Every structure is written in structure tokens, then in C-alpha cells.
Amino acid sequence: MKTVLRSISASHPDQADIAAAAAHIAAGDLVAMPTETVYGLAADAHNPAAVARIFAAKGRPTTDPLIVHIADVGQLADVATDFPPAFALLAETFWPGPLTILLPRHPALSTQITAGFDTVAVRMPAHPVALALIRASRTPLVAPSANLFSHPSPTTGMHVMHDLDGRIAMVLDAGPCRIGVESTIVDITQSPARILRQGDVSAEQLSTVLGEVHIVTRTLAASQAAPAPGMLLKHYAPRTPLMLLRGDSAAVRRTVLDAHAQKRIIWLCYAEDEAFAGMQGIDTMCLGAATDGAQIARSLFAALRAADAEGYALIVIAEPQGEGVAAAVRDRLYRAAEGVVHTLA
Ligand code: TXA
Ligand code: MG
């Protein structure tokens, strides 16, 4: 299949391009669309053949359920049911935005989307292109991240092309994603509510609406049998081995120097470390200032992909400090490092 790569304005999407993309959706084909978090691979939620194509194109196991994307809460009528009391206020507070909410599945919704579970994940993305495509398609769109299974999520149209060129009908390229890590997932079908994936909407923000909120730490290795959805530890892994460091700046620098003496490494560093790395002749990619969690989140997946493409023996990265989206970055790094953190004295 020839994949059409179409540039589109993020703020004022061209209606002819949206109509062309919606025609692909209506035909049961797949369109990669930008969202504020990462690019999603969209298909008509009510077309079983199209939904099956998503799993095939990504190489994704059918045991991993999909998020249903809507442009209007009215679109949930035949998607979810028995809405928990907290839903309305959550949706009002955080939608459109980077929050995915687990609700009881409507009996009419295919269990192919929910991988047989009786909950469904739903989200209203805060991106004019995604919202325009959902509206023009006149149907909710299921959309996982538009990467090959276990690759880092795509934050640019070129990342999508790298993984899926020839496998999907179209990529709507609106430039880099504003947030850069996937949405927060909260399960409100249980009490207290549980955060299944951390993202830009923090636990602190959610607790202002929900009261007590638990963060579920999901750490199963791929070899363990029958993991629940999204629990795979190795989920964001680059092919190059990744060494994740936890410690103060001096200890991190010592460890990076040691590694540099032994191997061809690349250091995904913070702005504060660039001059030091330059003096030592260490290759770097800068993620942003150490305290700028938002910038680090925006840079992370692109840097992992770029570093991975260069054939280094080792990628070294230190955990960012701080709360909010920095916590989501630590979670993604933990998975990329397959759960191994080097805690430095
Ligand atoms: O930011 C995002 O959420 C992006 C953009 C495209 O919207 N989408 C995304 O989708 O990250 P995906 O499929 O890559 O990740 C969705 C996660 C998976 O880990 C899946 O297991 C989990 O959501 N999930 C979906 N439905 C679920 C359910 N019913 N119960 C538990 N987890 C669920
Ligand atoms: Mg994904």
C-alpha cells in the first residue's frame, strides 16, 4: 500500500485534507493523526475489519485493548454505560486533553476493541486535527500510538513513516506533539480510582476531582504469563541497551565517564551537563533543562529513536527530578530500561 504523507496545519487544518482522511476511515483504512500527546493510528471503532487492521499494521497482540477517541461526549452513547458519578466532572475538567478514562463497556461495543475486557478506555484529544478527523468521520475512532509494537511512541509524522510506511493509507503530519508522552489512564470503575499509566495529567490534579487515587505500578516482564493490558514492562524499549541512572549530578557524571571509557556511548543529558560532556568528548543529545519536565517529555521519544538509529553500544540517561509530567518520564524510562535502575551512591 502506498502511504500518503500529508502536511497539515495544527491550528487550522485544511478541510480538503481532513475530508480525504475521513474517506480513508470510511473505507476501513488506517490514518495516522496527530494528538497533543503522541501520534495515533486511527480507524473506525464500528468497523471490525478496520479495527483488525490496526493490530496487524502495528504487530500488536490482540490481547492489548485500544482507546476510543471522541470529539463530543454524545459519541459515548453506544461505547460506554453505567457512567460512574465522577465521570462528568472529570470530563469537564480535563477534556479535551491528555486523560484517558476507563468506563464500563457498552454491550454494543465490540470486545475486539477492549480485548475481551468489560471496561473501555475513552479519551477526547486536545488537537484540532484529531478532533476535525473524528467529526468528519462521524464515528468514534480507535487509535493506539502509531508505532510498531514495542517501539517508542511517535511524536512526529516522520516517526510514523519510519514505522508504518507502506502499511497504512495516510499520515496527517502536523509537526511535533506538544506533550510527547502518552495520556494518563485512570480507572474510575473501581474505588478508589487507579492510575494505570502516568501522563501529563498528574495524580495530584486527579485527586482534586477524585479524592483518593492510587497509582498502580506495573512491572511485569514479557516472559510472565498473561499480563493484564498495558502491563508489559518492555514497552518503550530502544534496541540499543539503555542504562538508567538515579543519583546526584556528580555521581551521574562519574558513571557516564566510566561508561565512556569502556564503550561507544551516547548520553541523553540535560542542558546543565552539555559543557561537561563537550569537554570530555562524550556524544550527547540534550533533552532540555533538568528542571523542565515538559521539555524533557517533548524530547524523550524523539531522542530515543535518534540515539537508537546511530549504532551506539549504550544509551545513558539519568532520571529527571520533579513531579507532574516528570513522573511520567520516569515511568517511560523505567520501562525502556526494562526495570533496571542504577542507583548511585
Ligand atoms: O495518548 C494516548 O493515549 C495515545 C494517543 C494516540 O491518544 N494513545 C495510546 O494508545 O497511547 P496505546 O494503545 O498505545 O496505549 C493504550 C493503553 C494500552 O497500554 C492499553 O493496554 C491500555 O491503554 N488500555 C486500553 N483499554 C484498556 C482497558 N479496558 N483496561 C486497561 N487498560 C486499557
Ligand atoms: Mg502505545
PDB file of all heavy atoms in Angstrom, residues 20-60:
ATOM      1  N   ALA A  20     -10.280  14.003   2.874  1.00  0.00           N
ATOM      2  CA  ALA A  20      -9.569  12.866   2.259  1.00  0.00           C
ATOM      3  C   ALA A  20      -9.255  11.805   3.304  1.00  0.00           C
ATOM      4  O   ALA A  20      -9.412  10.600   3.061  1.00  0.00           O
ATOM      5  CB  ALA A  20      -8.283  13.362   1.591  1.00  0.00           C
ATOM      6  N   ALA A  21      -8.829  12.255   4.486  1.00  0.00           N
ATOM      7  CA  ALA A  21      -8.517  11.306   5.565  1.00  0.00           C
ATOM      8  C   ALA A  21      -9.789  10.594   6.020  1.00  0.00           C
ATOM      9  O   ALA A  21      -9.789   9.378   6.237  1.00  0.00           O
ATOM     10  CB  ALA A  21      -7.855  12.043   6.735  1.00  0.00           C
ATOM     11  N   ALA A  22     -10.882  11.349   6.149  1.00  0.00           N
ATOM     12  CA  ALA A  22     -12.155  10.758   6.588  1.00  0.00           C
ATOM     13  C   ALA A  22     -12.658   9.736   5.575  1.00  0.00           C
ATOM     14  O   ALA A  22     -13.280   8.735   5.944  1.00  0.00           O
ATOM     15  CB  ALA A  22     -13.198  11.853   6.815  1.00  0.00           C
ATOM     16  N   ALA A  23     -12.358   9.965   4.291  1.00  0.00           N
ATOM     17  CA  ALA A  23     -12.762   8.990   3.255  1.00  0.00           C
ATOM     18  C   ALA A  23     -12.003   7.676   3.447  1.00  0.00           C
ATOM     19  O   ALA A  23     -12.566   6.588   3.274  1.00  0.00           O
ATOM     20  CB  ALA A  23     -12.507   9.569   1.863  1.00  0.00           C
ATOM     21  N   HIS A  24     -10.729   7.763   3.825  1.00  0.00           N
ATOM     22  CA  HIS A  24      -9.972   6.538   4.133  1.00  0.00           C
ATOM     23  C   HIS A  24     -10.588   5.809   5.334  1.00  0.00           C
ATOM     24  O   HIS A  24     -10.719   4.584   5.322  1.00  0.00           O
ATOM     25  CB  HIS A  24      -8.508   6.867   4.436  1.00  0.00           C
ATOM     26  CG  HIS A  24      -7.697   7.197   3.215  1.00  0.00           C
ATOM     27  ND1 HIS A  24      -7.557   6.313   2.166  1.00  0.00           N
ATOM     28  CD2 HIS A  24      -6.974   8.294   2.886  1.00  0.00           C
ATOM     29  CE1 HIS A  24      -6.783   6.866   1.234  1.00  0.00           C
ATOM     30  NE2 HIS A  24      -6.417   8.063   1.654  1.00  0.00           N
ATOM     31  N   ILE A  25     -10.947   6.581   6.366  1.00  0.00           N
ATOM     32  CA  ILE A  25     -11.568   5.971   7.561  1.00  0.00           C
ATOM     33  C   ILE A  25     -12.871   5.275   7.158  1.00  0.00           C
ATOM     34  O   ILE A  25     -13.132   4.133   7.546  1.00  0.00           O
ATOM     35  CB  ILE A  25     -11.834   7.045   8.643  1.00  0.00           C
ATOM     36  CG1 ILE A  25     -10.526   7.659   9.156  1.00  0.00           C
ATOM     37  CG2 ILE A  25     -12.680   6.455   9.784  1.00  0.00           C
ATOM     38  CD1 ILE A  25      -9.664   6.764  10.018  1.00  0.00           C
ATOM     39  N   ALA A  26     -13.684   5.948   6.322  1.00  0.00           N
ATOM     40  CA  ALA A  26     -14.968   5.371   5.895  1.00  0.00           C
ATOM     41  C   ALA A  26     -14.759   4.095   5.085  1.00  0.00           C
ATOM     42  O   ALA A  26     -15.590   3.182   5.112  1.00  0.00           O
ATOM     43  CB  ALA A  26     -15.754   6.406   5.082  1.00  0.00           C
ATOM     44  N   ALA A  27     -13.633   4.032   4.364  1.00  0.00           N
ATOM     45  CA  ALA A  27     -13.331   2.838   3.562  1.00  0.00           C
ATOM     46  C   ALA A  27     -12.721   1.719   4.403  1.00  0.00           C
ATOM     47  O   ALA A  27     -12.376   0.659   3.870  1.00  0.00           O
ATOM     48  CB  ALA A  27     -12.381   3.221   2.428  1.00  0.00           C
ATOM     49  N   GLY A  28     -12.561   1.964   5.703  1.00  0.00           N
ATOM     50  CA  GLY A  28     -11.998   0.921   6.572  1.00  0.00           C
ATOM     51  C   GLY A  28     -10.481   0.924   6.615  1.00  0.00           C
ATOM     52  O   GLY A  28      -9.865  -0.016   7.113  1.00  0.00           O
ATOM     53  N   ASP A  29      -9.884   2.005   6.083  1.00  0.00           N
ATOM     54  CA  ASP A  29      -8.420   2.090   6.086  1.00  0.00           C
ATOM     55  C   ASP A  29      -7.912   2.861   7.310  1.00  0.00           C
ATOM     56  O   ASP A  29      -8.692   3.458   8.049  1.00  0.00           O
ATOM     57  CB  ASP A  29      -7.930   2.755   4.791  1.00  0.00           C
ATOM     58  CG  ASP A  29      -8.083   1.808   3.599  1.00  0.00           C
ATOM     59  OD1 ASP A  29      -7.941   0.578   3.803  1.00  0.00           O
ATOM     60  OD2 ASP A  29      -8.373   2.291   2.493  1.00  0.00           O
ATOM     61  N   LEU A  30      -6.589   2.861   7.468  1.00  0.00           N
ATOM     62  CA  LEU A  30      -5.968   3.438   8.669  1.00  0.00           C
ATOM     63  C   LEU A  30      -5.318   4.783   8.354  1.00  0.00           C
ATOM     64  O   LEU A  30      -4.639   4.931   7.336  1.00  0.00           O
ATOM     65  CB  LEU A  30      -4.901   2.485   9.214  1.00  0.00           C
ATOM     66  CG  LEU A  30      -5.341   1.041   9.456  1.00  0.00           C
ATOM     67  CD1 LEU A  30      -4.182   0.228  10.049  1.00  0.00           C
ATOM     68  CD2 LEU A  30      -6.563   0.980  10.370  1.00  0.00           C
ATOM     69  N   VAL A  31      -5.515   5.753   9.251  1.00  0.00           N
ATOM     70  CA  VAL A  31      -4.923   7.078   9.105  1.00  0.00           C
ATOM     71  C   VAL A  31      -4.193   7.433  10.390  1.00  0.00           C
ATOM     72  O   VAL A  31      -4.768   7.348  11.477  1.00  0.00           O
ATOM     73  CB  VAL A  31      -6.010   8.149   8.835  1.00  0.00           C
ATOM     74  CG1 VAL A  31      -5.396   9.549   8.821  1.00  0.00           C
ATOM     75  CG2 VAL A  31      -6.743   7.865   7.526  1.00  0.00           C
ATOM     76  N   ALA A  32      -2.924   7.811  10.278  1.00  0.00           N
ATOM     77  CA  ALA A  32      -2.196   8.296  11.452  1.00  0.00           C
ATOM     78  C   ALA A  32      -2.509   9.775  11.644  1.00  0.00           C
ATOM     79  O   ALA A  32      -2.409  10.563  10.703  1.00  0.00           O
ATOM     80  CB  ALA A  32      -0.696   8.085  11.286  1.00  0.00           C
ATOM     81  N   MET A  33      -2.921  10.111  12.863  1.00  0.00           N
ATOM     82  CA  MET A  33      -3.310  11.502  13.144  1.00  0.00           C
ATOM     83  C   MET A  33      -2.523  12.040  14.336  1.00  0.00           C
ATOM     84  O   MET A  33      -2.186  11.306  15.266  1.00  0.00           O
ATOM     85  CB  MET A  33      -4.813  11.575  13.453  1.00  0.00           C
ATOM     86  CG  MET A  33      -5.218  10.825  14.713  1.00  0.00           C
ATOM     87  SD  MET A  33      -6.990  11.062  15.091  1.00  0.00           S
ATOM     88  CE  MET A  33      -7.111  10.108  16.623  1.00  0.00           C
ATOM     89  N   PRO A  34      -2.220  13.358  14.300  1.00  0.00           N
ATOM     90  CA  PRO A  34      -1.538  13.952  15.449  1.00  0.00           C
ATOM     91  C   PRO A  34      -2.514  14.121  16.603  1.00  0.00           C
ATOM     92  O   PRO A  34      -3.697  14.378  16.394  1.00  0.00           O
ATOM     93  CB  PRO A  34      -1.110  15.321  14.911  1.00  0.00           C
ATOM     94  CG  PRO A  34      -2.129  15.650  13.863  1.00  0.00           C
ATOM     95  CD  PRO A  34      -2.524  14.341  13.247  1.00  0.00           C
ATOM     96  N   THR A  35      -2.032  13.922  17.834  1.00  0.00           N
ATOM     97  CA  THR A  35      -2.772  14.366  19.011  1.00  0.00           C
ATOM     98  C   THR A  35      -1.789  15.184  19.844  1.00  0.00           C
ATOM     99  O   THR A  35      -0.617  15.294  19.485  1.00  0.00           O
ATOM    100  CB  THR A  35      -3.331  13.195  19.859  1.00  0.00           C
ATOM    101  OG1 THR A  35      -2.309  12.680  20.697  1.00  0.00           O
ATOM    102  CG2 THR A  35      -3.932  12.087  18.992  1.00  0.00           C
ATOM    103  N   GLU A  36      -2.267  15.762  20.935  1.00  0.00           N
ATOM    104  CA  GLU A  36      -1.372  16.563  21.775  1.00  0.00           C
ATOM    105  C   GLU A  36      -0.350  15.701  22.510  1.00  0.00           C
ATOM    106  O   GLU A  36       0.676  16.202  22.953  1.00  0.00           O
ATOM    107  CB  GLU A  36      -2.196  17.415  22.756  1.00  0.00           C
ATOM    108  CG  GLU A  36      -2.733  16.676  23.984  1.00  0.00           C
ATOM    109  CD  GLU A  36      -3.993  15.857  23.714  1.00  0.00           C
ATOM    110  OE1 GLU A  36      -4.163  15.324  22.594  1.00  0.00           O
ATOM    111  OE2 GLU A  36      -4.812  15.737  24.652  1.00  0.00           O
ATOM    112  N   THR A  37      -0.604  14.384  22.631  1.00  0.00           N
ATOM    113  CA  THR A  37       0.333  13.508  23.357  1.00  0.00           C
ATOM    114  C   THR A  37       1.338  12.891  22.391  1.00  0.00           C
ATOM    115  O   THR A  37       2.523  13.224  22.413  1.00  0.00           O
ATOM    116  CB  THR A  37      -0.438  12.399  24.097  1.00  0.00           C
ATOM    117  OG1 THR A  37      -1.238  11.669  23.154  1.00  0.00           O
ATOM    118  CG2 THR A  37      -1.319  12.985  25.196  1.00  0.00           C
ATOM    119  N   VAL A  38       0.856  11.966  21.557  1.00  0.00           N
ATOM    120  CA  VAL A  38       1.674  11.291  20.541  1.00  0.00           C
ATOM    121  C   VAL A  38       0.792  11.084  19.314  1.00  0.00           C
ATOM    122  O   VAL A  38      -0.418  11.307  19.379  1.00  0.00           O
ATOM    123  CB  VAL A  38       2.208   9.915  21.053  1.00  0.00           C
ATOM    124  CG1 VAL A  38       3.050  10.100  22.318  1.00  0.00           C
ATOM    125  CG2 VAL A  38       1.072   8.933  21.317  1.00  0.00           C
ATOM    126  N   TYR A  39       1.371  10.651  18.188  1.00  0.00           N
ATOM    127  CA  TYR A  39       0.544  10.349  17.024  1.00  0.00           C
ATOM    128  C   TYR A  39      -0.239   9.052  17.269  1.00  0.00           C
ATOM    129  O   TYR A  39       0.276   8.102  17.874  1.00  0.00           O
ATOM    130  CB  TYR A  39       1.406  10.212  15.757  1.00  0.00           C
ATOM    131  CG  TYR A  39       1.719  11.554  15.125  1.00  0.00           C
ATOM    132  CD1 TYR A  39       2.622  12.430  15.737  1.00  0.00           C
ATOM    133  CD2 TYR A  39       1.098  11.962  13.939  1.00  0.00           C
ATOM    134  CE1 TYR A  39       2.895  13.678  15.183  1.00  0.00           C
ATOM    135  CE2 TYR A  39       1.375  13.212  13.372  1.00  0.00           C
ATOM    136  CZ  TYR A  39       2.263  14.058  14.004  1.00  0.00           C
ATOM    137  OH  TYR A  39       2.517  15.293  13.463  1.00  0.00           O
ATOM    138  N   GLY A  40      -1.499   9.045  16.805  1.00  0.00           N
ATOM    139  CA  GLY A  40      -2.342   7.868  16.950  1.00  0.00           C
ATOM    140  C   GLY A  40      -2.636   7.257  15.591  1.00  0.00           C
ATOM    141  O   GLY A  40      -2.626   7.945  14.561  1.00  0.00           O
ATOM    142  N   LEU A  41      -2.869   5.940  15.580  1.00  0.00           N
ATOM    143  CA  LEU A  41      -3.223   5.235  14.342  1.00  0.00           C
ATOM    144  C   LEU A  41      -4.724   4.975  14.375  1.00  0.00           C
ATOM    145  O   LEU A  41      -5.197   4.106  15.108  1.00  0.00           O
ATOM    146  CB  LEU A  41      -2.444   3.926  14.232  1.00  0.00           C
ATOM    147  CG  LEU A  41      -2.687   3.132  12.938  1.00  0.00           C
ATOM    148  CD1 LEU A  41      -2.302   3.951  11.714  1.00  0.00           C
ATOM    149  CD2 LEU A  41      -1.918   1.819  12.974  1.00  0.00           C
ATOM    150  N   ALA A  42      -5.475   5.759  13.571  1.00  0.00           N
ATOM    151  CA  ALA A  42      -6.923   5.806  13.729  1.00  0.00           C
ATOM    152  C   ALA A  42      -7.659   4.893  12.761  1.00  0.00           C
ATOM    153  O   ALA A  42      -7.270   4.723  11.605  1.00  0.00           O
ATOM    154  CB  ALA A  42      -7.409   7.255  13.530  1.00  0.00           C
ATOM    155  N   ALA A  43      -8.752   4.300  13.290  1.00  0.00           N
ATOM    156  CA  ALA A  43      -9.680   3.510  12.478  1.00  0.00           C
ATOM    157  C   ALA A  43     -11.084   3.689  13.046  1.00  0.00           C
ATOM    158  O   ALA A  43     -11.246   4.039  14.218  1.00  0.00           O
ATOM    159  CB  ALA A  43      -9.287   2.032  12.501  1.00  0.00           C
ATOM    160  N   ASP A  44     -12.088   3.418  12.203  1.00  0.00           N
ATOM    161  CA  ASP A  44     -13.493   3.486  12.603  1.00  0.00           C
ATOM    162  C   ASP A  44     -13.770   2.437  13.687  1.00  0.00           C
ATOM    163  O   ASP A  44     -13.643   1.235  13.438  1.00  0.00           O
ATOM    164  CB  ASP A  44     -14.356   3.226  11.363  1.00  0.00           C
ATOM    165  CG  ASP A  44     -15.848   3.225  11.673  1.00  0.00           C
ATOM    166  OD1 ASP A  44     -16.234   3.320  12.859  1.00  0.00           O
ATOM    167  OD2 ASP A  44     -16.626   3.130  10.695  1.00  0.00           O
ATOM    168  N   ALA A  45     -14.163   2.907  14.879  1.00  0.00           N
ATOM    169  CA  ALA A  45     -14.393   1.986  16.001  1.00  0.00           C
ATOM    170  C   ALA A  45     -15.526   1.005  15.700  1.00  0.00           C
ATOM    171  O   ALA A  45     -15.597  -0.060  16.314  1.00  0.00           O
ATOM    172  CB  ALA A  45     -14.705   2.784  17.276  1.00  0.00           C
ATOM    173  N   HIS A  46     -16.414   1.355  14.779  1.00  0.00           N
ATOM    174  CA  HIS A  46     -17.561   0.490  14.500  1.00  0.00           C
ATOM    175  C   HIS A  46     -17.342  -0.413  13.293  1.00  0.00           C
ATOM    176  O   HIS A  46     -18.280  -1.036  12.812  1.00  0.00           O
ATOM    177  CB  HIS A  46     -18.824   1.340  14.327  1.00  0.00           C
ATOM    178  CG  HIS A  46     -19.232   2.026  15.603  1.00  0.00           C
ATOM    179  ND1 HIS A  46     -19.406   1.356  16.794  1.00  0.00           N
ATOM    180  CD2 HIS A  46     -19.463   3.338  15.878  1.00  0.00           C
ATOM    181  CE1 HIS A  46     -19.744   2.222  17.738  1.00  0.00           C
ATOM    182  NE2 HIS A  46     -19.774   3.428  17.206  1.00  0.00           N
ATOM    183  N   ASN A  47     -16.111  -0.466  12.776  1.00  0.00           N
ATOM    184  CA  ASN A  47     -15.806  -1.326  11.627  1.00  0.00           C
ATOM    185  C   ASN A  47     -14.803  -2.408  12.046  1.00  0.00           C
ATOM    186  O   ASN A  47     -13.598  -2.145  12.155  1.00  0.00           O
ATOM    187  CB  ASN A  47     -15.242  -0.462  10.488  1.00  0.00           C
ATOM    188  CG  ASN A  47     -14.893  -1.287   9.252  1.00  0.00           C
ATOM    189  OD1 ASN A  47     -14.655  -2.489   9.335  1.00  0.00           O
ATOM    190  ND2 ASN A  47     -14.852  -0.620   8.109  1.00  0.00           N
ATOM    191  N   PRO A  48     -15.276  -3.632  12.319  1.00  0.00           N
ATOM    192  CA  PRO A  48     -14.403  -4.681  12.844  1.00  0.00           C
ATOM    193  C   PRO A  48     -13.199  -4.985  11.946  1.00  0.00           C
ATOM    194  O   PRO A  48     -12.098  -5.261  12.454  1.00  0.00           O
ATOM    195  CB  PRO A  48     -15.318  -5.908  12.943  1.00  0.00           C
ATOM    196  CG  PRO A  48     -16.707  -5.364  12.964  1.00  0.00           C
ATOM    197  CD  PRO A  48     -16.675  -4.079  12.178  1.00  0.00           C
ATOM    198  N   ALA A  49     -13.373  -4.910  10.624  1.00  0.00           N
ATOM    199  CA  ALA A  49     -12.242  -5.194   9.728  1.00  0.00           C
ATOM    200  C   ALA A  49     -11.170  -4.116   9.880  1.00  0.00           C
ATOM    201  O   ALA A  49      -9.962  -4.402   9.867  1.00  0.00           O
ATOM    202  CB  ALA A  49     -12.732  -5.265   8.275  1.00  0.00           C
ATOM    203  N   ALA A  50     -11.623  -2.860  10.044  1.00  0.00           N
ATOM    204  CA  ALA A  50     -10.670  -1.758  10.215  1.00  0.00           C
ATOM    205  C   ALA A  50      -9.922  -1.905  11.535  1.00  0.00           C
ATOM    206  O   ALA A  50      -8.709  -1.684  11.609  1.00  0.00           O
ATOM    207  CB  ALA A  50     -11.411  -0.419  10.161  1.00  0.00           C
ATOM    208  N   VAL A  51     -10.653  -2.287  12.592  1.00  0.00           N
ATOM    209  CA  VAL A  51     -10.021  -2.461  13.904  1.00  0.00           C
ATOM    210  C   VAL A  51      -8.977  -3.580  13.824  1.00  0.00           C
ATOM    211  O   VAL A  51      -7.865  -3.453  14.351  1.00  0.00           O
ATOM    212  CB  VAL A  51     -11.081  -2.748  14.992  1.00  0.00           C
ATOM    213  CG1 VAL A  51     -10.402  -3.009  16.334  1.00  0.00           C
ATOM    214  CG2 VAL A  51     -12.060  -1.572  15.114  1.00  0.00           C
ATOM    215  N   ALA A  52      -9.327  -4.654  13.123  1.00  0.00           N
ATOM    216  CA  ALA A  52      -8.370  -5.766  12.967  1.00  0.00           C
ATOM    217  C   ALA A  52      -7.113  -5.298  12.242  1.00  0.00           C
ATOM    218  O   ALA A  52      -5.996  -5.745  12.546  1.00  0.00           O
ATOM    219  CB  ALA A  52      -9.031  -6.917  12.207  1.00  0.00           C
ATOM    220  N   ARG A  53      -7.288  -4.374  11.263  1.00  0.00           N
ATOM    221  CA  ARG A  53      -6.127  -3.854  10.528  1.00  0.00           C
ATOM    222  C   ARG A  53      -5.145  -3.124  11.436  1.00  0.00           C
ATOM    223  O   ARG A  53      -3.940  -3.119  11.188  1.00  0.00           O
ATOM    224  CB  ARG A  53      -6.605  -2.888   9.436  1.00  0.00           C
ATOM    225  CG  ARG A  53      -6.792  -3.595   8.133  1.00  0.00           C
ATOM    226  CD  ARG A  53      -7.294  -2.718   6.991  1.00  0.00           C
ATOM    227  NE  ARG A  53      -8.074  -3.616   6.172  1.00  0.00           N
ATOM    228  CZ  ARG A  53      -9.350  -3.492   5.868  1.00  0.00           C
ATOM    229  NH1 ARG A  53     -10.025  -2.414   6.232  1.00  0.00           N
ATOM    230  NH2 ARG A  53      -9.969  -4.404   5.178  1.00  0.00           N
ATOM    231  N   ILE A  54      -5.645  -2.484  12.485  1.00  0.00           N
ATOM    232  CA  ILE A  54      -4.752  -1.780  13.423  1.00  0.00           C
ATOM    233  C   ILE A  54      -3.784  -2.767  14.070  1.00  0.00           C
ATOM    234  O   ILE A  54      -2.577  -2.534  14.119  1.00  0.00           O
ATOM    235  CB  ILE A  54      -5.571  -1.060  14.522  1.00  0.00           C
ATOM    236  CG1 ILE A  54      -6.196   0.201  13.952  1.00  0.00           C
ATOM    237  CG2 ILE A  54      -4.683  -0.728  15.717  1.00  0.00           C
ATOM    238  CD1 ILE A  54      -6.823   1.089  14.991  1.00  0.00           C
ATOM    239  N   PHE A  55      -4.335  -3.867  14.578  1.00  0.00           N
ATOM    240  CA  PHE A  55      -3.475  -4.857  15.247  1.00  0.00           C
ATOM    241  C   PHE A  55      -2.447  -5.413  14.258  1.00  0.00           C
ATOM    242  O   PHE A  55      -1.275  -5.598  14.600  1.00  0.00           O
ATOM    243  CB  PHE A  55      -4.332  -5.984  15.847  1.00  0.00           C
ATOM    244  CG  PHE A  55      -5.159  -5.543  17.027  1.00  0.00           C
ATOM    245  CD1 PHE A  55      -6.493  -5.199  16.880  1.00  0.00           C
ATOM    246  CD2 PHE A  55      -4.585  -5.455  18.289  1.00  0.00           C
ATOM    247  CE1 PHE A  55      -7.255  -4.786  17.969  1.00  0.00           C
ATOM    248  CE2 PHE A  55      -5.336  -5.049  19.387  1.00  0.00           C
ATOM    249  CZ  PHE A  55      -6.678  -4.709  19.218  1.00  0.00           C
ATOM    250  N   ALA A  56      -2.900  -5.666  13.023  1.00  0.00           N
ATOM    251  CA  ALA A  56      -1.993  -6.222  12.012  1.00  0.00           C
ATOM    252  C   ALA A  56      -0.897  -5.220  11.650  1.00  0.00           C
ATOM    253  O   ALA A  56       0.286  -5.575  11.574  1.00  0.00           O
ATOM    254  CB  ALA A  56      -2.787  -6.634  10.779  1.00  0.00           C
ATOM    255  N   ALA A  57      -1.278  -3.953  11.421  1.00  0.00           N
ATOM    256  CA  ALA A  57      -0.295  -2.958  10.965  1.00  0.00           C
ATOM    257  C   ALA A  57       0.787  -2.723  12.018  1.00  0.00           C
ATOM    258  O   ALA A  57       1.954  -2.521  11.693  1.00  0.00           O
ATOM    259  CB  ALA A  57      -0.999  -1.640  10.632  1.00  0.00           C
ATOM    260  N   LYS A  58       0.400  -2.716  13.302  1.00  0.00           N
ATOM    261  CA  LYS A  58       1.351  -2.458  14.382  1.00  0.00           C
ATOM    262  C   LYS A  58       2.104  -3.699  14.823  1.00  0.00           C
ATOM    263  O   LYS A  58       3.098  -3.590  15.552  1.00  0.00           O
ATOM    264  CB  LYS A  58       0.604  -1.916  15.616  1.00  0.00           C
ATOM    265  CG  LYS A  58       0.247  -0.447  15.575  1.00  0.00           C
ATOM    266  CD  LYS A  58      -0.507  -0.063  16.840  1.00  0.00           C
ATOM    267  CE  LYS A  58       0.251  -0.247  18.136  1.00  0.00           C
ATOM    268  NZ  LYS A  58       1.105   0.879  18.540  1.00  0.00           N
ATOM    269  N   GLY A  59       1.591  -4.885  14.454  1.00  0.00           N
ATOM    270  CA  GLY A  59       2.146  -6.118  15.014  1.00  0.00           C
ATOM    271  C   GLY A  59       1.808  -6.207  16.490  1.00  0.00           C
ATOM    272  O   GLY A  59       2.588  -6.713  17.299  1.00  0.00           O
ATOM    273  N   ARG A  60       0.639  -5.717  16.847  1.00  0.00           N
ATOM    274  CA  ARG A  60       0.236  -5.626  18.253  1.00  0.00           C
ATOM    275  C   ARG A  60      -0.585  -6.841  18.652  1.00  0.00           C
ATOM    276  O   ARG A  60      -1.490  -7.243  17.909  1.00  0.00           O
ATOM    277  CB  ARG A  60      -0.591  -4.360  18.432  1.00  0.00           C
ATOM    278  CG  ARG A  60      -1.198  -4.134  19.825  1.00  0.00           C
ATOM    279  CD  ARG A  60      -1.885  -2.781  19.818  1.00  0.00           C
ATOM    280  NE  ARG A  60      -2.624  -2.465  20.992  1.00  0.00           N
ATOM    281  CZ  ARG A  60      -2.438  -1.341  21.710  1.00  0.00           C
ATOM    282  NH1 ARG A  60      -1.486  -0.500  21.371  1.00  0.00           N
ATOM    283  NH2 ARG A  60      -3.196  -1.077  22.738  1.00  0.00           N
TER     284      ARG A  60
END
